[in-house]
Amino acid sequence: MAVSGGGSAAGSGGRFLLHLLHFCVLLAGLCRGNSVERKIYIPLNKTAPCVRLLNATHQIGCQSSINGNTGVIHVVEKEEDLKWVLSDGPNPPYMVLLEGVLFTRSLMEKLKGRNNRIAGLAVSLAKPRPTPGYSPSVQCPNDGFGIYSDSYGPEYAHCKDVAWNILGDGLAYEDFSFPIFLLEDENETRVIKQCYQDHNLVQNGSLPTFPLCAMQLFSHMHAVLSTVTCMRRSYIQSTFSINPEIICDPLSDYNVWSLLRPINTSESMASADRVVVAATRLDSRSFFWNVAPGAESAVASFVTQLAAAEALQKVPDVATLPRNVMFVFFQGETFDYIGSSRMVYDMERGKFPVQLDNIDSFVELGQVALRNSLELWMHTDPMSQKNASVRNQVEALLDTVEKSSTGIPTLVLQRPSQSQPLPPSSLQRFLRARNISGVVLTDHSAAFHNHYFESVYDTAENINVSYPKGQSPEEDLNEVTETAKALADVATLLGRTLYQLAGGTNFSDSIQANPQTVTRLLYGFLVRSNNSWFQSFMRHDLRSFLGDGPLQHYIAVSSPTNTTYVVQYALANLTGTVVDLTREQCQDPSKAPSENKDIYEYSWVQGPLDINSTERLPQCVRSTVRLARALSPAFELKQWGSKEYSTWTESRWKDISARIFLIASKELEFITLMVGLGILIFSLVVTYCINAKADVLFMAPREPGSVSY
Ligand SMILES: *[C@@H]1O[C@H](CO)[C@@H](O)[C@H](O)[C@H]1NC(C)=O
Ligand SMILES: *[C@@H]1O[C@H](CO)[C@@H](O)[C@H](O)[C@H]1NC(C)=O
Ligand SMILES: *[C@@H]1O[C@H](CO)[C@@H](O)[C@H](O)[C@H]1NC(C)=O
Ligand SMILES: *[C@@H]1O[C@H](CO)[C@@H](O)[C@H](O)[C@H]1NC(C)=O
Ligand SMILES: *[C@@H]1O[C@H](CO)[C@@H](O)[C@H](O)[C@H]1NC(C)=O
Ligand SMILES: *[C@@H]1O[C@H](CO)[C@@H](O)[C@H](O)[C@H]1NC(C)=O
Ligand SMILES: *[C@@H]1O[C@H](CO)[C@@H](O)[C@H](O)[C@H]1NC(C)=O
Ligand SMILES: *[C@@H]1O[C@H](CO)[C@@H](O)[C@H](O)[C@H]1NC(C)=O
Ligand SMILES: *[C@@H]1O[C@H](CO)[C@@H](O)[C@H](O)[C@H]1NC(C)=O
Ligand SMILES: *[C@@H]1O[C@H](CO)[C@@H](O)[C@H](O)[C@H]1NC(C)=O
Ligand SMILES: *[C@@H]1O[C@H](CO)[C@@H](O)[C@H](O)[C@H]1NC(C)=O
Ligand SMILES: *[C@@H]1O[C@H](CO)[C@@H](O)[C@H](O)[C@H]1NC(C)=O
């Protein structure tokens, strides 16, 4: 501080400065600290909101008013508790803290349209998870966007033949006019319940008294009605304004794909070349935003395909096989087949190196982790098999799969009745364009075995992945679980099938997927992505995409998402090779004479840990793994009302947050306001009077006082 000037002048000047300083500190404290707010509000830190999504015709999800919804908390642990909220309680609107098991369609129907009594919902996770099952998805996922319709196979359309997701109650496709949040942390739920017990409980028959414990939820959504409405508005804005106000974004990400044998991706494949496609999906969803564990609905299948890709790459004669093999991991399949419809669209327009006519056969992995017995089911499409030549190809394909399974004692291949349609699958989008021969492998013959399809409970527990207590993360990572062994068998089958479909003969029986790979992948995707192996194969700048929890597989709008990157680099690690390039050469392979970017992808990854230190040894990995845009063609074509392509968009929002605090009664607030107003009016009157009579009042001589300041 440069205050002390010295001399006598500093005496009064210094004191003045000191006072000024005090005043400033006080002012700064008041403005910056907002200490009042901090004492009263308790923010909830681990919540997930339900947000608004839109398609061509509808809006689904939830929202609050622009200033957030506030209500007195009421804990609902059994259905009878709702009576208080809906009729008896004297202080509406209420913020309902709902036990997870009660979060069902029948209960939510009762709350719908009761906005005068319900301000919003906070749902806790049910522990243990609800039995016998729970799925907020619909019974017929992606209805209308697959191959069956009222004009093509009407007997199969709208899941008339098989209701695939029989437990689905459609809650996640409803529109709610109040906010709904998931409480992800039990400790926070406990804090809220404590606040409720301390302030809101009926005590000895008398009504609870103010102040009461309340909750405020902010999740105001900008977009309304439908994708057509919001995209048109955004589009007009972006045409005429330099600073357009976008209110919704298409759900989009990237598909991950690779080829067993590298090709020049700058040009189209020769029309005589044949490719066997192995496909699966990457994404899932739940009622809540960015909560999509998808263990059985996505993870188990793509992990199995990753392991099959690794096993197949090791075969000695891959370079000489008559046909190539393409591995694809589709993003956004949950939302009316975004990824596969885009790939088909690109293939038809020659914007993808592989064309539709190059496809020889198609093998897709559906849900495969919940095999109750040894059975694995081969689903095929009855419509395309009306053509005898297609039928023969499909028969040959099924024979190949069955033949591949003979050396695997833990697998028995089964065919559902020939008149049964395909389950929801990416293959359906390819069949819309060409009658290719394809099969979908699943653990279920008809309805899903998955009782938690697209719910928050489709976690590691759902597919029986668990670890002995007291192990270190590194030990868990390498612990081979029963689930991993079972999935490795499916991966072995897939690897052998693809090998034979590609025309291989000599090494089929030596193909063996590694259970260690499967178990490490399962651990990384379902338990903890920030582990030593995942870190080693990721690029340095992407290391923050790995978190201490499981990865979530919601497609989202800012992409690529965590899952996309991790699958891309896992596949590169499993099928690629380490090449001896410097960092500069790896990032720009044109500087290395022996390398070619048309044929390979290069990535400079963090590398494994040095044995003696905590340093990593970065390396350059060469692979054929690439990303391909997964944005619905509806947005390329600006057909926002499309019935052919997915039209899902996500609304934008400004603020999503939740907090609890104590509120005073409306009466008390009113009285406070009135008293304040009274004082104001009184002081105005007094001032006026003093002013009017100033000459009289201030005539008297002042008392000489000893006041110094
Ligand atoms: C949009 O979503 C709603 C709710 O799931 C559904 O009823 C409707 O058929 C969908 N519209 C289109 C065009 O797919
Ligand atoms: C909850 O609190 C307990 C004890 O305070 C602590 O051991 C536990 O780790 C906390 N759980 C979470 C999920 O934070
Ligand atoms: C959330 O975090 C803030 C700041 O760390 C803390 O004061 C608050 O108590 C937390 N909320 C809950 C419900 O624990
Ligand atoms: C409720 O009643 C019990 C016994 O009648 C009494 O001990 C307790 O203090 C009462 N509680 C309140 C909050 O009045
Ligand atoms: C790949 O194809 C492009 C376009 O046809 C061509 O210019 C390039 O030389 C090819 N690269 C290789 C390695 O063949
Ligand atoms: C596939 O085959 C069926 C039956 O032969 C036929 O009706 C349909 O038009 C074909 N689809 C395509 C895309 O060629
Ligand atoms: C059956 O499909 C093949 C192509 O797979 C096509 O050439 C043939 O015309 C189709 N036959 C009928 C009767 O549609
Ligand atoms: C789950 O795994 C454990 C051990 O890994 C096994 O004993 C148990 O039978 C499995 N349960 C199911 C339902 O598969
Ligand atoms: C595979 O088997 C065929 C026929 O038995 C033989 O001609 C060919 O050389 C074998 N290929 C390899 C790589 O061993
Ligand atoms: C995904 O990546 C983002 C961005 O790096 C990170 O903040 C987030 O924690 C990751 N999510 C998970 C579930 O790990
Ligand atoms: C894959 O990861 C392992 C473990 O970090 C590493 O040893 C290996 O070199 C990697 N392989 C490739 C091709 O990147
Ligand atoms: C690790 O340490 C041992 C002995 O301390 C040494 O011989 C070895 O070269 C070291 N390895 C590396 C990779 O630094």
Side-chain angles (χ1 to χ4, degrees):
M1 292 245 290
V3 175
S4 42
S8 63
S12 65
R15 218 168 325 163
F16 171 71
L17 273 178
L18 205 70
H19 278 271
L20 198 68
L21 204 73
H22 272 162
F23 182 67
C24 287
V25 167
L26 208 76
L27 205 68
L30 272 178
C31 298
R32 184 213 42 176
N34 221 344
S35 56
V36 182
E37 178 166 301
R38 235 189 291 153
K39 278 204 194 85
I40 298 177
Y41 293 113
I42 303 178
L44 301 177
N45 308 314
K46 302 230 176 74
T47 61
C50 149
V51 305
R52 175 167 293 162
L53 302 178
L54 311 103
N55 70 1
T57 50
H58 289 63
Q59 62 175 31
I60 61 168
C62 323
Q63 81 156 351
S64 74
S65 71
I66 195 151
N67 297 317
N69 284 18
T70 307
V72 174
I73 295 173
H74 192 77
V75 176
V76 172
E77 284 174 334
K78 46 194 185 307
E79 212 161 331
E80 298 86 85
D81 296 343
L82 265 189
K83 196 153 163 283
W84 178 268
V85 174
L86 291 176
S87 53
D88 298 354
N91 305 304
Y94 284 96
M95 194 61 84
V96 178
L97 201 166
L98 193 66
E99 284 296 318
V101 280
L102 296 177
F103 188 53
T104 58
R105 190 184 185 105
S106 61
L107 188 133
M108 292 306 291
E109 293 289 339
K110 294 184 187 149
L111 305 187
K112 256 194 158 178
R114 301 296 303 274
N115 284 37
N116 56 334
R117 307 263 334 163
I118 309 277
L121 240 71
V123 182
S124 62
L125 274 174
K127 244 184 201 168
R129 63 207 174 128
T131 46
Y134 167 80
S135 171
S137 185
V138 285
Q139 297 207 346
C140 192
N142 293 359
D143 187 21
F145 290 85
I147 187 171
Y148 311 113
S149 68
D150 294 333
S151 56
Y152 187 74
E155 67 270 37
Y156 307 123
H158 316 304
C159 298
K160 268 182 221 145
D161 205 71
V162 185
W164 297 104
N165 183 30
I166 201 143
L167 289 163
D169 65 6
L171 205 55
Y173 289 86
E174 293 284 313
D175 182 36
F176 294 96
S177 52
F178 46 75
I180 303 178
F181 277 55
L182 176 70
L183 301 171
E184 295 182 290
D185 184 348
E186 283 172 55
N187 289 352
E188 288 201 358
T189 309
R190 207 169 304 129
V191 170
I192 303 170
K193 284 193 174 164
Q194 192 60 50
C195 183
Y196 164 79
Q197 270 157 17
D198 291 348
H199 297 98
N200 299 6
L201 270 190
V202 178
Q203 299 250 326
N204 291 352
S206 65
L207 289 178
T209 54
F210 283 99
L212 294 174
C213 189
M215 186 185 289
Q216 189 170 33
L217 302 177
F218 295 87
S219 63
H220 182 67
M221 297 289 138
H222 295 330
V224 290
L225 289 174
S226 70
T227 292
V228 176
T229 315
C230 83
M231 285 306 287
R232 195 186 293 137
R233 204 179 123 183
S234 298
Y235 185 64
I236 292 172
Q237 284 248 353
S238 60
T239 322
F240 293 110
S241 162
I242 38 168
N243 195 9
E245 185 198 348
I246 309 288
I247 53 173
C248 66
D249 305 278
L251 295 181
S252 77
D253 201 319
Y254 290 84
N255 299 324
V256 180
W257 68 284
S258 78
L259 283 165
L260 185 62
R261 209 168 51 234
I263 59 162
N264 185 346
T265 51
S266 304
E267 55 185 20
S268 288
M269 209 172 204
S271 54
D273 288 349
R274 311 295 288 159
V275 173
V276 178
V277 178
T280 189
R281 67 169 63 188
L282 280 181
D283 72 312
S284 183
R285 70 169 297 208
S286 76
F287 187 88
F288 300 98
W289 183 73
N290 211 13
V291 181
E296 158 79 345
S297 53
V299 177
S301 333
F302 71 67
V303 161
T304 304
Q305 184 160 303
L306 286 169
E310 180 193 32
L312 196 52
Q313 196 75 46
K314 290 200 178 121
V315 182
D317 64 348
V318 278
T320 57
L321 292 176
R323 290 178 277 273
N324 209 336
V325 177
M326 175 165 122
F327 293 95
V328 205
F329 301 80
F330 290 116
Q331 261 288 8
E333 296 298 275
T334 305
F335 292 97
D336 298 339
Y337 303 119
I338 295 173
S340 54
S341 64
R342 177 57 186 268
M343 185 163 281
V344 171
Y345 175 88
D346 283 346
M347 283 177 167
E348 282 177 322
R349 278 158 190 75
K351 288 184 185 156
F352 193 78
V354 179
Q355 312 295 301
L356 279 173
D357 289 326
N358 294 124
I359 297 177
D360 178 80
S361 44
F362 196 104
V363 183
E364 178 167 348
L365 279 185
Q367 303 179 41
V368 288
L370 293 175
R371 280 191 292 133
N372 295 345
S373 49
L374 304 180
E375 287 160 355
L376 195 66
W377 294 84
M378 304 183 286
H379 298 266
T380 54
D381 167 45
M383 289 301 289
S384 53
Q385 289 184 74
K386 287 182 178 161
N387 177 328
S389 86
V390 175
R391 185 182 183 139
N392 290 339
Q393 285 174 32
V394 173
E395 284 296 326
L397 173 60
L398 299 187
D399 286 344
T400 309
V401 182
E402 278 167 352
K403 207 162 82 213
S404 309
S405 75
T406 47
I408 310 169
T410 55
L411 274 178
V412 176
L413 271 291
Q414 297 277 6
R415 305 180 186 205
S417 117
Q418 195 145 49
S419 62
Q420 185 175 301
L422 281 176
S425 50
S426 313
L427 173 58
Q428 295 201 21
R429 291 303 304 200
F430 284 79
L431 288 171
R432 278 171 80 125
R434 284 282 187 293
N435 276 326
I436 51 181
S437 64
V439 61
V440 180
L441 302 175
T442 69
D443 54 21
H444 54 88
S445 63
F448 295 162
H449 285 174
N450 187 359
H451 292 170
Y452 301 91
F453 183 68
E454 287 174 8
S455 82
V456 293
Y457 306 106
D458 193 1
T459 55
E461 184 190 359
N462 191 27
I463 58 169
N464 202 16
V465 168
S466 61
Y467 302 91
K469 284 214 168 55
Q471 291 197 145
S472 69
E474 205 62 23
E475 284 167 330
D476 282 350
L477 174 66
N478 295 307
E479 169 93 26
V480 180
T481 59
E482 292 301 316
T483 307
K485 285 181 200 156
L487 289 178
D489 290 337
V490 178
T492 301
L493 170 79
L494 180 62
R496 291 182 185 179
T497 302
L498 294 173
Y499 177 74
Q500 292 182 18
L501 290 173
T505 47
N506 301 11
F507 297 104
S508 186
D509 291 340
S510 70
I511 297 176
Q512 194 74 49
N514 186 355
Q516 188 81 25
T517 302
V518 177
T519 211
R520 294 168 126 220
L521 287 167
L522 286 176
Y523 178 81
F525 284 104
L526 297 176
V527 182
R528 188 186 165 93
S529 55
N530 188 8
N531 60 65
S532 62
W533 184 41
F534 279 26
Q535 283 291 359
S536 82
F537 64 59
M538 290 294 276
R539 247 165 46 204
H540 184 75
D541 56 320
L542 299 179
R543 68 191 189 285
S544 70
F545 280 77
L546 304 174
D548 285 338
L551 285 171
Q552 304 299 331
H553 311 287
Y554 172 67
I555 169 171
V557 296
S558 57
S559 52
T561 51
N562 308 36
T563 309
T564 308
Y565 273 132
V566 177
V567 169
Q568 180 192 1
Y569 285 96
L571 186 57
N573 178 280
L574 294 172
T575 62
T577 47
V578 177
V579 284
D580 188 18
L581 295 182
T582 65
R583 184 189 183 132
E584 284 69 35
Q585 287 173 323
C586 192
Q587 283 161 350
D588 182 9
S590 59
K591 287 186 185 144
S594 59
E595 303 299 333
N596 195 312
K597 201 151 172 108
D598 289 333
I599 295 176
Y600 292 109
E601 275 294 292
Y602 298 83
S603 37
W604 185 253
V605 302
Q606 299 196 81
L609 280 174
D610 191 347
I611 305 157
N612 292 353
S613 71
T614 52
E615 292 282 296
R616 293 191 173 275
L617 299 167
Q619 55 192 18
C620 187
V621 176
R622 186 179 75 183
S623 71
T624 61
V625 182
R626 289 187 163 84
L627 298 184
R629 195 92 179 93
L631 167 70
S632 168
F635 298 98
E636 294 281 297
L637 299 164
K638 300 199 171 56
Q639 291 171 358
W640 301 311
S642 176
K643 288 198 162 56
E644 165 113 19
Y645 298 114
S646 167
T647 52
W648 287 105
T649 51
E650 184 187 89
S651 171
R652 287 204 180 176
W653 58 79
K654 205 159 157 191
D655 179 27
I656 284 190
S657 62
R659 60 191 188 180
I660 58 173
F661 53 94
L662 295 180
I663 51 163
S665 69
K666 292 243 162 53
E667 291 78 26
L668 187 63
E669 279 173 359
F670 186 72
I671 291 167
T672 315
L673 183 71
M674 282 304 132
V675 169
L677 273 179
I679 291 173
L680 180 71
I681 291 166
F682 177 73
S683 59
L684 281 178
V685 170
V686 169
T687 315
Y688 176 79
C689 292
I690 291 175
N691 220 0
K693 300 278 183 226
D695 44 346
V696 184
L697 281 169
F698 299 115
M699 274 297 280
R702 272 202 291 173
E703 290 270 318
S706 58
V707 192
S708 58
Y709 278 94

